[in-house]
Amino acid sequence: MESSSTASGGSTRREATRQKLYEAAVTLIAEQGFSATTVDEIAERAGVAKGTVYYNFASKSVLFEELLRHGVGLLAASLREAAEKTARDGGSKVDALDAMIRAGLVFIDRYPAFTQLYVAEMWRTNRAWQSTLMVVRQQAVSVVEDVLREGVANGEFSDEIDVPLTASALVGMVLVAALDWQSFQPERSLDDVHAALSRLLQGRVSGPGRR
């Protein structure tokens, strides 16, 4: 039996290896597409043996599915943390949404290749991992839905808001605006982009609340 410290060290090393494989895979697939990317290339980019890829993931498709889960899980966690911090600081639900917009922009700025890949895959319908994609998408959207529902319940938002559609629209706004920023307006700062989306949020979501 391994000691707890040895087991912990092994787990940490494995997670570090998997992180290398995620980063290598997402960069290569974003550059040249899923079909054109080989396991050999992923291993080479990650600096590991080909067998290490198969030790951690049964196939390239499994690696990609886990990549989606991992990336969107990080995004959802950052959104949730932003909302919870706003609540602890006594902010409103609009403040929470605004903080989530910034958290989303920070995430996309840090992981641009993953974001490009995720948005591209959202429009494909013939992938084996389509069901996984829908599950992880909802993981991120549901965090925004929770804040919107709380805002409706406390009267901050109009009860006419379509919560699922509004949440999807807010997540989509951040994704598309951020990709446009990085591709076509890279001279703009994150603060500048956040300010523009914040003004849009204030005009489109906040309102008189219930009547």
Side-chain angles (χ1 to χ4, degrees):
M1 294 286 290
E2 291 181 318
S3 68
S4 59
S5 60
T6 301
S8 176
S11 176
T12 300
R13 284 193 297 273
R14 187 177 185 193
E15 284 306 308
T17 298
R18 289 168 72 91
Q19 184 63 36
K20 287 182 183 178
L21 291 171
Y22 287 141
E23 292 173 358
V26 73
T27 302
L28 286 166
I29 295 171
E31 289 174 355
Q32 58 194 32
F34 178 80
S35 298
T37 299
T38 67
V39 172
D40 284 332
E41 288 174 319
I42 293 171
E44 182 179 0
R45 180 69 66 94
V48 301
K50 181 177 179 179
T52 301
V53 180
Y54 289 116
Y55 175 76
N56 285 275
F57 305 99
S59 67
K60 184 174 69 169
S61 292
V62 170
L63 167 57
F64 190 73
E65 282 196 61
E66 288 301 312
L67 172 63
L68 290 173
R69 292 182 185 277
H70 177 72
V72 178
L74 291 176
L75 172 59
S78 67
L79 297 179
R80 186 176 298 107
E81 182 180 350
E84 291 175 350
K85 182 179 185 304
T86 303
R88 290 195 301 270
D89 293 343
S92 69
K93 297 308 175 185
V94 170
D95 292 333
L97 292 175
D98 188 54
M100 293 165 85
I101 286 174
R102 184 173 185 86
L105 291 173
V106 170
F107 175 88
I108 294 165
D109 190 45
R110 183 176 181 184
Y111 303 108
F114 173 80
T115 306
Q116 292 168 10
L117 195 58
Y118 173 71
V119 171
E121 289 300 317
M122 286 293 293
W123 297 104
R124 300 182 189 273
T125 58
N126 59 342
R127 297 297 205 191
W129 49 79
Q130 187 67 22
S131 60
T132 297
L133 189 61
M134 297 307 294
V135 169
V136 297
R137 168 199 169 275
Q138 187 56 36
Q139 183 182 356
V141 172
S142 65
V143 180
V144 184
E145 288 181 352
D146 290 343
V147 173
L148 288 170
R149 288 195 178 94
E150 291 167 2
V152 171
N154 68 18
E156 188 173 346
F157 299 147
S158 168
D159 55 13
E160 296 180 356
I161 285 179
D162 183 321
V163 170
L165 188 58
T166 302
S168 296
L170 287 170
V171 172
M173 175 185 74
V174 174
L175 289 172
V176 174
L179 290 178
D180 183 87
W181 158 43
Q182 294 184 335
S183 298
F184 303 111
Q185 306 178 66
E187 72 282 357
R188 301 185 70 166
S189 68
L190 190 150
D191 288 340
D192 189 24
V193 176
H194 174 225
L197 296 185
S198 180
R199 285 191 290 271
L200 184 60
L201 170 71
Q202 298 289 340
R204 294 293 183 269
V205 177
S206 63
R210 292 182 174 180
R211 295 181 177 179

